[in-house]
Amino acid sequence: MSYLILPKGYKALVDTKQTEQGIKQIKDFFQQVLSSELRLRRVTAPLFVLSGTGINDNLSGHERPVSFKIKDLNDRNAEIVHSLAKWKRLTLAEYKIEKGYGIYTDMNAIRADEELGNLHSLYVDQWDWELSIDEKDRNIHFLKDIVKRIYASIRQAEYIVYEQYPCIRPALPEKITFIHSEELVRKYPNLSPKERENEFTKEHKAVFIIGIGGKLSNGSKHDDRAPDYDDWTTLNEDGFFGLNGDLFVWNEVLGSSLELSSMGIRVDKKALLKQLEICGCEERKELFFHKKLLNGELPLSIGGGIGQSRLCMFLLRKGHIGEIQASIWPEKMRETCLEHGMVLI
């Protein structure tokens, strides 16, 4: 079921031509800063992978991958990637990337089950990145340090936009605020996860919510996370479970929080076995990716994705992601958006 938020009195601050120029400038600048900040080299990524290997990202486990049969491989089934969470870890091993260094790539996906609206499209474009780490780096302090570096890159990009278009004034705070999803439950016991995100992000403007995937004290999860890439069960130094999280900023145009990045320290053998058992997915141990991990053939890592169109949407103060990327939208949504100043590409 699609949704549509109509910002009151919305008027685009830059026209279509300036928007296209701004998109290129943001994408060129941000990936350069990010690669320098995290010591990442660019690699070429697949648009699709073979089914049944365990390489594709299962997301929350309910989304159907777009698939097709390959004639020259005896009609073997291939899937358009949902993300490259596990493929990147395989690539770290294949390229023999040293600890402290990593990779990034342009990830393009099609998510046919997405609920279409201002923030969600059938087409997903991200900078997917993965960093090879040491055992001693599997802790909350290292996670926070990486988050701070990514956030610093976002703030630099925001200033570049301001230099080019002075009408778009910087809005991000100097520092990002960290909170665990369990602390959010205690702070807002009567609110839903999305309402908690909104309340806390509205107050602090830029936040990182730690611990996504595991059950909280109220018996529910803050959000779903697949069991075989992020570690959401390890007890961290702050006394909570999880070494992963989501980065949010306050979107003044829509009056809501906006998730720009999902990331985390990846599962080791112990965390993978535990999380597969919790999710009732122990049969995955026989898949190609999972066997390699359990056999110690993959490096320890941290990684995530940063939404390209979402970042551009936020920095250019747009009201709909369709003002940034070309996709398919319900005709009624296109018409309504046009009437309210949001010109969908």
Side-chain angles (χ1 to χ4, degrees), residues 85-86 89 130 138 212 225-233 243-246 262-268 271-272 275 301-304:
K86 292 180 286 228
R89 199 164 175 183
E130 199 81 10
R138 299 191 79 257
I212 309 292
R225 198 70 110 239
D228 41 18
Y229 55 98
D230 282 357
D231 185 336
W232 39 263
T233 53
L243 297 172
N244 70 340
D246 293 337
S262 174
M263 57 170 286
I265 291 174
R266 306 309 197 186
V267 291
D268 57 9
L272 174 63
Q275 292 177 189
S301 67
I302 182 174

Side-chain angles (χ1 to χ4, degrees), residues 92-127:
L92 285 181
E94 182 180 350
Y95 287 9
K96 296 181 174 57
I97 303 295
E98 297 177 34
K99 295 174 183 178
Y101 296 87
I103 59 173
Y104 81 95
T105 191
D106 289 294
M107 192 286 297
N108 297 289
I110 300 172
R111 297 182 182 172
D113 290 335
E114 202 71 64
E115 183 182 2
L116 305 181
N118 300 66
L119 302 176
H120 300 89
S121 170
L122 295 172
Y123 171 60
V124 179
D125 55 342
Q126 295 181 171
W127 288 288

Side-chain angles (χ1 to χ4, degrees), residues 235-266:
L235 182 65
N236 65 47
E237 302 93 307
D238 291 343
F240 298 107
F241 291 98
L243 297 172
N244 70 340
D246 293 337
L247 191 158
F248 295 87
V249 294
W250 181 249
N251 187 330
E252 195 66 47
V253 175
L254 296 179
S256 67
S257 60
L258 172 63
E259 181 189 327
L260 291 181
S261 177
S262 174
M263 57 170 286
I265 291 174
R266 306 309 197 186

